[in-house]
Amino acid sequence: MDMATSSALPGHVLMAATLMLLIVQARGITRHYDFNVQMANVTRLCATKSMVTVNGQCPGPELMAREGDRVVVRVTNNVAHNITLHWHGVRQVRTGWADGPAYITQCPIQTGQSYVYNFTVDGQRGTLWWHAHISWLRATAYGAVVILPKLGVPYPFPAPHEEVPVIFGEWWTADTEAVVSQAMQTGGGPNVSDAFTINGLPGPLYNCSAQDTFKLKVKQGKTYMLRLINAALNDELFFSIANHTVTVVEVDAVYVKPFTVETLVISPGQTTNVLLTAKPYYPGANFYMSAAPYSTARPGTFANTTVAGILEYENPSRSPSAASFVKSLPLFKPTLPQLNDTDFVTNFTARLRSLASARYPAAVPRSVDRRFFFTVGMGTLPCPANTTCQGPNGTQMAAAVNNVSFVLPSRALLQSHFTGLSRGVYASDFPVTPLSPFNYTGTPPNNTNVATGTKLLVLPFNTSVELVMQDTSILGAESHPLHLHGFNFFVVGQGFGNYNPVNDPSKFNLVDPVERNTVGVPAGGWVAIRFLADNPGVWFMHCHLEVHMTWGLRMAWLVLDGSLPSQKLLPPPSDLPKC
């Protein structure tokens, strides 16, 4: 409001307007979205397929809100598959019914049905994302969640000229539901993807895809905030822009102490905000923005390809409306780390630190009520009678937490808990430590079979938790990006080899550890996290490599109600889907 206008307004009108602004800042507003799940024909890599989308787009629509806003999303299912959507990283305080994982917090939305996801974005700001949370449908049903700070609250870094979502995806020419179905039938690994994508586009390094390239046009000297999201199904990714550096300022919608890198690593489920400052002069060149996988798994079990978008500069000597991309300019490519460069990943993640400032403190639990030790890794199941399996030595591939491969129930866990009808749905005896300890990162045991079950771990309200997650060498050491629903956690320590409960805790960072919702358990190592169980409900925790989650690398926490009304799970909405 300019001074000429404001001076003409009566004082009581100005006061009312100021009061209304303060109320909006304090309470937020309600934002409504309609998400229609529908099939769409999409052509990539010279092949057309019909696939599940939201509103006919891939990536789907961006959901934007401010910290404190209420978000209401009506999801209508117009496809033959059951569907749910998960708002990845949104805390869902007391609103677990809106979290989205199928058979954990809700039964899926069936064909022709609708469900309204209703939640408040409280105490969070930054980049998150949404995706389907049933089978492998998130391959094509995903999009950005952008949470702006409250009105009038600046970023803790210089405001960028422009903000751009950059979403990494993974593309199969085949139907991903057929891919996972075949893998589960054969007991072996699924067919790997045909390409990675940036904002749905494979780019010039893939066959038939030069016309499907993401291009970012920048002005010299301006700063851009890239909201990076790894929505790939099964691959952690390195990312770099040729001849440019980026400054990391946020991960998983939590500000971090800024640091500048040429290359970063981002796991499925994770988000990273970076500032890219364009060169102060016109460089007369174009630059690849490239991403390629990080993996320590056996070759052939993951997609080993590179996706590229193009960074191009607006030419100050040409009109802005002129065709922007000039093919004749030199094109620079970044050098990405080696495929299995675990040292790079370790050094990058070690630099992530919370701001730990007065405005954005790091509320690390200083004392711990319950300590848990979970192994996470691969395993096998016996091949069913009269079938042939393609897993190791004729077995079925499996994965487990503390040797329990989690079986999804046929009724939703949260409703079973809320109604007190849990018998036959789940057990509350998830093991707090491995039942049969072994040398986790040494020579694997001869028996690699895992147990199966639907087991929960129960926590009283406000329990402070320390959890150590230990990778195992069974069928090969691998990095596992573990995602916890319903909470952020602090990454207080990590290391290689077997966790030592006597010596390792003395090295924990309890001052400014990074706070996030998805963390990589290092290949052949361990990670320690702390969180406060102050959100009642049933909360899924799983590997965000879709193939590992399908094989059973998942479990759930049941956080009980507290004594106060504000510490209790709200009742379910009337339109909650039925199984």
Side-chain angles (χ1 to χ4, degrees):
M1 191 180 294
D2 63 47
M3 288 305 293
T5 310
S6 63
S7 60
L9 290 173
H12 67 278
V13 175
L14 266 179
M15 194 176 293
T18 304
L19 186 62
M20 184 59 71
L21 178 64
L22 289 172
I23 289 171
V24 167
Q25 279 181 312
R27 281 199 204 148
I29 61 172
T30 300
R31 297 176 187 258
H32 293 269
Y33 290 87
D34 277 302
F35 278 20
N36 290 303
V37 181
Q38 60 196 68
M39 301 303 288
N41 290 329
V42 178
T43 302
R44 295 282 182 269
L45 312 180
C46 276
T48 301
K49 73 170 181 176
S50 180
M51 66 190 205
V52 175
T53 68
V54 171
N55 295 358
Q57 305 164 232
C58 182
E62 180 180 292
L63 192 154
M64 183 173 278
R66 280 195 185 277
E67 179 183 345
D69 285 354
R70 186 168 159 232
V71 177
V72 178
V73 189
R74 173 178 291 279
V75 177
T76 304
N77 184 5
N78 299 307
V79 302
H81 301 280
N82 285 347
I83 195 79
T84 70
L85 295 185
H86 168 54
W87 319 95
H88 183 115
V90 175
R91 289 251 1 236
Q92 299 290 2
V93 177
R94 302 174 62 217
T95 54
W97 312 104
D99 191 42
Y103 302 106
I104 306 298
T105 59
Q106 67 168 98
C107 299
I109 308 166
Q110 297 179 31
T111 305
Q113 303 294 308
S114 294
Y115 178 48
V116 176
Y117 290 91
N118 189 336
F119 54 90
T120 301
V121 183
D122 213 7
Q124 294 182 274
R125 80 293 306 164
T127 305
L128 295 170
W129 64 299
W130 60 265
H131 59 82
H133 211 304
I134 184 167
S135 191
W136 281 26
L137 293 181
R138 78 172 181 85
T140 54
Y142 62 88
V145 174
V146 173
I147 307 166
L148 299 172
K150 288 187 175 184
L151 275 172
V153 177
Y155 293 128
F157 45 81
H161 171 67
E162 195 179 325
E163 301 179 10
V164 184
V166 176
I167 311 178
F168 303 110
E170 197 163 3
W171 182 265
W172 276 258
T173 301
D175 173 12
T176 47
E177 292 306 283
V179 170
V180 65
S181 174
Q182 180 190 21
M184 295 309 285
Q185 283 173 9
T186 64
N191 291 337
V192 301
S193 60
D194 298 289
F196 296 111
T197 57
I198 298 177
N199 291 346
L201 302 170
L205 302 182
Y206 294 105
N207 182 37
C208 213
S209 300
Q211 75 284 2
D212 295 323
T213 300
F214 172 69
K215 292 174 181 156
L216 176 62
K217 190 173 184 180
V218 298
K219 295 179 178 175
Q220 57 195 57
K222 297 289 188 187
T223 297
Y224 296 79
M225 182 158 79
L226 309 185
R227 296 179 177 271
L228 307 176
I229 298 167
N230 187 347
L233 261 70
N234 294 317
D235 292 272
E236 303 182 72
L237 295 169
F238 295 117
F239 173 71
S240 183
I241 303 174
N243 294 16
H244 289 72
T245 58
V246 295
T247 300
V248 179
V249 292
E250 178 203 297
V251 296
D252 291 1
V254 181
Y255 297 130
V256 296
K257 291 184 172 75
F259 63 99
T260 300
V261 294
E262 291 179 356
T263 304
L264 57 85
V265 66
I266 183 168
S267 297
Q270 293 183 338
T271 65
T272 305
N273 282 7
V274 299
L275 299 178
L276 164 68
T277 299
K279 296 180 185 299
Y281 55 87
Y282 177 65
N286 295 316
F287 306 90
Y288 271 166
M289 305 183 289
S290 301
Y294 159 66
S295 179
T296 59
R298 296 187 309 282
T301 61
F302 58 92
N304 186 10
T305 64
T306 302
V307 63
I310 295 176
L311 178 72
E312 56 189 23
Y313 278 71
E314 204 172 273
N315 187 338
S317 64
R318 303 173 70 203
S319 74
S321 60
S324 59
F325 186 62
V326 182
K327 276 188 176 175
S328 59
L329 291 176
L331 180 60
F332 291 94
K333 301 177 182 181
T335 302
L336 292 168
Q338 290 294 307
L339 176 73
N340 59 353
D341 194 341
T342 298
D343 286 346
F344 176 93
V345 174
T346 306
N347 292 333
F348 176 82
T349 54
R351 296 181 72 180
L352 294 168
R353 301 292 174 114
S354 287
L355 274 187
S357 63
R359 174 140 207 160
Y360 302 104
V364 193
R366 306 293 295 197
S367 60
V368 174
D369 299 321
R370 298 286 309 272
R371 286 185 165 84
F372 302 101
F373 181 81
F374 291 178
T375 55
V376 296
M378 312 309 293
T380 55
L381 285 168
C383 195
N386 303 318
T387 53
T388 304
C389 290
Q390 294 175 6
N393 302 317
T395 60
Q396 293 182 84
M397 290 293 297
V401 182
N402 271 355
N403 212 49
V404 178
S405 185
F406 187 92
V407 178
L408 283 178
S410 54
R411 289 182 53 201
L413 298 176
L414 186 60
Q415 199 162 15
S416 302
H417 158 64
F418 187 82
T419 57
L421 301 172
S422 62
R423 186 186 296 271
V425 180
Y426 66 82
S428 301
D429 59 350
F430 187 86
V432 298
T433 58
L435 299 178
S436 304
F438 61 99
N439 180 5
Y440 306 113
T441 53
T443 305
N446 292 329
N447 180 4
T448 58
N449 282 348
V450 297
T452 58
T454 309
K455 297 172 181 286
L456 274 59
L457 207 161
V458 181
L459 295 171
F461 183 82
N462 246 13
T463 302
S464 60
V465 174
E466 181 178 285
L467 168 64
V468 175
M469 292 182 282
Q470 170 77 58
D471 183 36
T472 77
S473 58
I474 295 174
L475 304 184
E478 287 188 52
S479 172
H480 298 281
L482 261 288
H483 172 48
L484 174 60
H485 290 230
F487 301 93
N488 282 350
F489 50 76
F490 292 94
V491 184
V492 296
Q494 64 176 41
F496 288 98
N498 296 342
Y499 173 71
N500 184 320
V502 176
N503 299 331
D504 287 330
S506 64
K507 304 172 204 149
F508 285 179
N509 174 12
L510 303 179
V511 178
D512 62 351
V514 68
E515 179 183 352
R516 51 190 331 165
N517 63 58
T518 305
V519 67
V521 179
W526 55 270
V527 67
I529 66 172
R530 286 188 182 185
F531 66 96
L532 187 65
D534 58 355
N535 192 7
V538 175
W539 304 108
F540 211 17
M541 190 176 83
H542 59 88
C543 182
H544 223 281
L545 302 179
E546 212 65 23
V547 59
H548 292 172
M549 183 164 83
T550 302
W551 284 335
L553 211 166
R554 50 196 181 187
M555 58 82 66
W557 305 82
L558 168 53
V559 179
L560 302 174
D561 281 350
S563 55
L564 301 176
S566 63
Q567 299 171 343
K568 296 183 191 301
L569 176 68
L570 293 168
S574 59
D575 65 340
L576 187 72
K578 294 178 172 55
C579 286

